[in-house]
Amino acid sequence: RGGTSSCHTLCKDYGDRNVDATETDCPVEDFVSWCLSCDVSLIIRVNSGDEPGLRELGGTYDAMDVRACGISHVDVPVPDWCGGTPDAGAIAAALAEYRRAREDHTAVLVHCKGGFGRSVVLACCCLIDRHDVAGRSLLGWARVARPGAITTAQQERFLCSLGGRADLDRYLSMHISGCSVA
């Protein structure tokens, strides 16, 4: 993997905000209660439960526990290596679920293991789709709203390549149909 591995965001030091994961461990019910209080109707999980860092903590939550509380849940796994940039299939899957949830005018939560890279890229794609805003603008906004967001050069280049909804649609149509530009 060498120089193309993405950063291990759980180990980043953000000053006084760095906490031990065992100190913030909370039951799934508390997470779901928070989501319900924020009117979240859909959770898009971008990590897999057996990723390094999660594996040592026992994995991740069971999506069935979330669904049992009335929140839709979809897994759109994106590998956390080689830049951690979602491929066209992952983006298309997330956008399809996001569009369905937004019809109800409720909130959508997108998360990965650390919440700095993969999930931010997918969330930005949802915002580009909804508001037709440039990826470069969202890059700046994301880094103000979530210091440390967009953790790899590949993620940054991808977002900056999207000038708005038309570029996102073009990217998806080119890559999902099996075509690619060299």
Side-chain angles (χ1 to χ4, degrees):
R1 296 181 201 202
T4 61
S5 297
S6 62
C7 301
H8 190 281
T9 57
L10 291 179
C11 294
K12 282 190 175 179
D13 183 7
Y14 292 101
D16 296 334
R17 298 182 333 166
N18 194 25
V19 294
D20 180 2
T22 58
E23 294 174 12
T24 60
D25 192 25
C26 66
V28 139
E29 297 82 20
D30 291 345
F31 173 63
V32 169
S33 296
W34 178 84
C35 289
L36 291 170
S37 73
C38 293
D39 205 21
V40 171
S41 67
L42 169 65
I43 296 173
I44 300 173
R45 177 170 48 191
V46 185
N47 61 281
S48 64
D50 65 345
E51 290 181 7
L54 284 177
R55 198 177 311 131
E56 293 80 7
L57 295 173
T60 188
Y61 61 87
D62 186 343
M64 294 304 292
D65 292 337
V66 173
R67 290 185 191 111
C69 295
I71 298 175
S72 297
H73 189 283
V74 64
D75 286 311
V76 181
V78 174
D80 193 18
W81 53 275
C82 290
T85 303
D87 64 22
I91 294 169
L95 284 177
E97 295 295 330
Y98 171 78
R99 289 170 182 152
R100 275 193 281 281
R102 289 301 304 159
E103 289 174 5
D104 297 332
H105 304 289
T106 56
V108 175
L109 184 144
V110 184
H111 79 83
C112 60
K113 179 177 69 178
F116 290 95
R118 299 169 289 173
S119 59
V120 176
V121 172
L122 271 184
C124 286
C125 287
C126 291
L127 292 171
I128 289 168
D129 182 70
R130 181 159 186 226
H131 297 290
D132 194 20
V133 63
R136 185 175 297 280
S137 298
L138 286 173
L139 173 66
W141 172 82
R143 286 183 167 161
V144 168
R146 180 86 163 125
I150 309 301
T151 59
T152 70
Q154 294 90 330
Q155 292 168 348
E156 184 173 337
R157 278 193 302 272
F158 174 72
L159 270 184
C160 290
S161 75
L162 302 173
R165 187 181 303 120
D167 286 344
L168 180 60
D169 291 343
R170 190 175 310 107
Y171 170 81
L172 293 174
S173 67
M174 286 175 31
H175 290 84
I176 291 183
S177 67
C179 299
S180 64
V181 176

